[in-house]
C-alpha cells in the first residue's frame, strides 16, 4: 500500500512538471497563433488588392490607355500577375503556418485535458496517505490532525472577517448617501444666500430630509457592523491567538455620543463634520479587516505547507 501511494505521489509530481511546461507552451502558442492570424488578415487584404489590379488590367477597355500612358501591355500585365502570384504565395505560407500553430495548440490543450485536475488528484492522495499513517505513524497523524483543526478555525475566522467587511461596506454606502444629500443641501443653501427663491429653499429642505431619513438605516447598519466585528474579535482573542486584536472603542461613540435628532436644526456644515469622525473610523476598521484577512490567508497557506510536509514525509 505504501509503495503504491509513493508511486502515485511520484506520478503526480511528474505530471505537475509536465503540466507546468504544457501551460507555458500553450500560452506561447496562443500568442504565436494570434500573430499569424493578424498576418493572414493583412496578407488577405494585400492579395485581394493585387487580384483586383490584375482584373482591372485584363479588361479590354483599359488596354489602349495602358499602351499610351504606361508602356507595353504584356510587360504591365506580367508585372501585375507576378505581384499577385507573390502575394498569393505569402498568404498561402502564412495560412499554412497558422494551421500548423493551431494544430500544435490543440494538441497541447488535449494533453492538458488528458492529465486532468491535478489539484483534485493530489488532494485525494493526501487524504489516502493521511489515513495510511494513522496506524503506521501515530505521532505524525496527530500532528497533521492538529494542523487541520487550526485550518478549520482559520477558515471560520476568514468567513467572519468577510461578513464583517461586507457589513462595513454597507455602512459606508449609507454614509455616502448622507454626505451626498448634505452636499446637495449645502449647494442649495448657498443659492438661497444669493436669492435663490422658493425653489432652492424647497430643494434644500428636501435634501436635508433625505439625509435625516438615512439616520435610522445608518444606526441599524452600525449596530449590525458592531455585532459582526465582535464575532471577529471573539475568534481572534479566544481561539486563534495568531494575529493582534483590534479595538472596538469607536462603537461607544457611535451609539452613546452620536445623536442624529438635531440634523434638521443644525447647520449643514456641522452635520457633515459630525459624520466625518465615525465615517473615518469605519474606513480605518475596514482597512484593518483587510489586513487581518491577509494575515489569516497567509497563515492558512503556511499551515497547508506544514500539513503536506508531514503527510509526504511520514512513514
Amino acid at each position: 500500500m505504501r509503495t503504491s501511494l509513493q508511486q502515485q505521489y511520484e506520478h503526480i509530481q511528474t505530471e505537475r512538471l509536465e503540466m507546468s511546461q504544457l501551460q507555458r507552451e500553450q500560452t506561447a502558442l496562443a500568442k504565436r497563433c494570434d500573430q499569424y492570424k493578424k498576418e493572414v488578415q493583412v496578407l488577405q487584404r494585400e492579395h485581394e488588392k493585387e487580384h483586383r489590379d490584375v482584373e482591372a488590367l485584363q479588361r479590354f477597355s483599359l488596354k489602349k490607355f495602358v499602351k499610351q500612358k504606361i508602356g507595353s501591355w504584356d510587360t504591365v500585365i506580367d508585372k501585375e500577375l507576378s505581384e499577385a502570384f507573390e502575394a498569393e504565395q505569402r498568404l498561402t505560407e502564412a495560412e499554412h503556418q497558422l494551421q500548423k500553430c493551431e494544430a500544435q495548440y490543440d494538441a497541447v490543450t488535449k494533453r492538458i485535458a488528458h492529465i486532468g485536475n491535478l489539484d483534485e488528484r493530489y488532494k485525494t492522495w493526501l487524504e489516502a496517505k493521511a489515513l495510511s499513517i494513522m496506524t503506521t505513524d501515530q505521532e505524525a497523524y496527530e500532528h497533521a490532525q492538529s494542523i487541520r483543526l487550526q485550518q478549520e478555525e482559520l477558515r471560520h475566522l476568514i468567513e467572519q472577517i468577510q461578513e464583517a467587511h461586507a457589513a462595513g461596506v454597507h455602512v459606508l454606502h449609507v454614509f455616502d448617501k448622507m454626505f451626498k444629500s448634505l452636499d446637495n443641501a449645502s449647494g442649495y443653501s448657498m443659492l438661497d444666500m444669493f436669492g435663490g427663491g422658493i425653489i432652492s429653499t424647497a430643494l434644500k429642505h428636501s435634501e436635508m430630509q433625505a439625509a435625516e431619513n438615512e439616520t435610522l438605516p445608518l444606526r441599524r447598519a452600525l449596530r449590525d457592523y458592531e455585532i459582526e466585528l465582535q464575532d471577529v474579535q471573539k475568534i481572534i482573542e479566544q481561539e486563534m491567538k495568531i494575529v493582534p486584536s483590534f479595538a472596538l472603542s469607536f462603537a461607544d461613540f457611535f451609539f452613546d455620543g452620536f445623536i442624529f435628532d438635531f440634523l434638521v436644526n443644525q447647520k449643514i456644515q456641522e452635520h457633515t463634520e459630525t459624520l466625518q469622525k465615525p465615517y473615518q473610523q469605519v474606513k480605518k476598521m475596514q482597512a484593518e479587516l483587510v489586513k487581518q484577512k491577509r494575515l489569516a490567508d497567509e497563515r492558512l497557506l503556511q499551515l497547508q505547507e506544514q500539513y503536506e510536509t508531514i503527510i509526504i514525509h511520514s512513514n
Side-chain angles (χ1 to χ4, degrees):
M1 176 68 175
R2 189 173 66 183
T3 301
S4 175
L5 285 171
Q6 183 62 26
Q7 289 174 344
Q8 290 177 25
Y9 174 72
E10 291 173 355
H11 184 62
I12 289 172
Q13 293 304 103
T14 299
E15 288 190 323
R16 277 184 184 278
L17 293 174
E18 183 182 1
M19 178 68 84
S20 179
Q21 180 179 351
L22 286 170
Q23 288 173 339
R24 289 195 298 269
E25 186 175 351
Q26 185 186 46
T27 300
L29 283 168
K31 184 177 180 181
R32 190 186 311 164
C33 289
D34 186 60
Q35 292 173 342
Y36 281 134
K37 286 177 183 178
K38 292 178 180 178
E39 183 179 353
V40 165
Q41 290 173 353
V42 171
L43 290 174
Q44 282 176 336
R45 290 193 292 268
E46 181 182 336
H47 176 259
E48 290 169 0
K49 177 181 177 301
E50 295 295 341
H51 186 68
R52 288 195 300 270
D53 290 345
V54 170
E55 287 183 336
L57 286 174
Q58 286 176 334
R59 293 174 188 164
F60 180 79
S61 59
L62 293 176
K63 186 172 182 179
K64 184 176 180 181
F65 173 81
V66 171
K67 284 183 178 180
Q68 293 175 346
K69 301 296 183 181
I70 302 178
S72 169
W73 168 262
D74 292 336
T75 299
V76 172
I77 195 64
D78 286 346
K79 180 176 179 295
E80 291 297 332
L81 285 170
S82 176
E83 290 177 353
F85 178 75
E86 290 175 1
E88 184 175 356
Q89 289 293 102
R90 290 193 297 271
L91 175 59
T92 300
E93 177 62 21
E95 289 175 336
H96 173 72
Q97 292 296 332
L98 175 58
Q99 291 173 358
K100 181 180 177 181
C101 182
E102 289 177 336
Q104 292 174 335
Y105 180 86
D106 290 341
V108 169
T109 302
K110 287 179 182 178
R111 177 56 185 161
I112 290 174
H114 178 73
I115 292 175
N117 192 331
L118 280 174
D119 290 338
E120 284 299 320
R121 288 165 57 192
Y122 181 60
K123 181 180 178 181
T124 302
W125 179 86
L126 279 173
E127 292 172 354
K129 182 69 182 294
L131 288 175
S132 75
I133 68 172
M134 193 186 323
T135 55
T136 60
D137 194 339
Q138 187 66 25
E139 183 180 355
Y141 178 77
E142 291 177 357
H143 190 187
Q145 291 305 108
S146 174
I147 290 176
R148 277 297 194 213
L149 181 59
Q150 292 179 61
Q151 287 179 310
E152 287 303 313
E153 292 172 344
L154 265 174
R155 292 189 183 97
H156 181 53
L157 171 61
I158 290 171
E159 181 181 347
Q160 293 298 324
I161 290 174
Q162 290 173 327
E163 290 177 359
H165 189 272
V169 169
H170 177 60
V171 170
L172 293 175
H173 175 69
V174 179
F175 266 121
D176 288 337
K177 289 176 68 175
M178 293 185 75
F179 282 130
K180 183 177 180 181
S181 294
L182 289 170
D183 185 58
N184 290 340
S186 177
Y188 293 130
S189 179
M190 290 294 294
L191 186 60
D192 261 353
M193 292 174 62
F194 295 97
I198 190 172
I199 295 178
S200 62
T201 299
L203 290 172
K204 177 184 67 176
H205 286 290
S206 174
E207 294 292 348
M208 288 292 291
Q209 186 63 47
E212 186 180 15
N213 290 342
E214 293 296 333
T215 58
L216 182 58
L218 180 59
R219 290 176 69 89
R220 290 173 177 170
L222 287 169
R223 189 177 299 112
D224 293 341
Y225 190 45
E226 183 186 35
I227 293 171
E228 296 292 348
L229 288 173
Q230 287 173 347
D231 290 341
V232 174
Q233 185 79 358
K234 187 184 301 182
I235 296 172
I236 290 176
E237 290 182 344
Q238 297 180 3
E239 298 180 23
M240 304 311 303
K241 299 187 184 302
I242 60 168
V243 287
S245 63
F246 47 91
L248 296 175
S249 59
F250 70 90
D252 293 335
F253 176 78
F254 285 159
F255 298 107
D256 294 338
F258 192 50
I259 302 173
F260 296 93
D261 296 338
F262 62 81
L263 274 175
V264 176
N265 302 315
Q266 297 294 321
K267 296 179 181 178
I268 296 172
Q269 188 61 36
E270 291 177 354
H271 306 334
T272 303
E273 292 174 357
T274 301
L275 289 170
Q276 277 296 332
K277 184 176 180 179
Y279 177 76
Q280 292 301 325
Q281 286 182 308
V282 172
K283 290 188 69 174
K284 182 179 179 180
M285 186 57 66
Q286 288 292 89
E288 182 66 24
L289 287 170
V290 171
K291 176 185 174 182
Q292 296 293 344
K293 183 179 181 301
R294 177 178 58 79
L295 291 171
D297 286 337
E298 290 174 356
R299 179 59 176 159
L300 192 60
L301 287 174
Q302 292 172 359
L303 287 172
Q304 183 63 25
E305 291 174 359
Q306 292 176 20
Y307 175 81
E308 292 180 16
T309 299
I310 292 170
I311 297 299
I312 291 169
H313 297 291
S314 61
N315 295 323

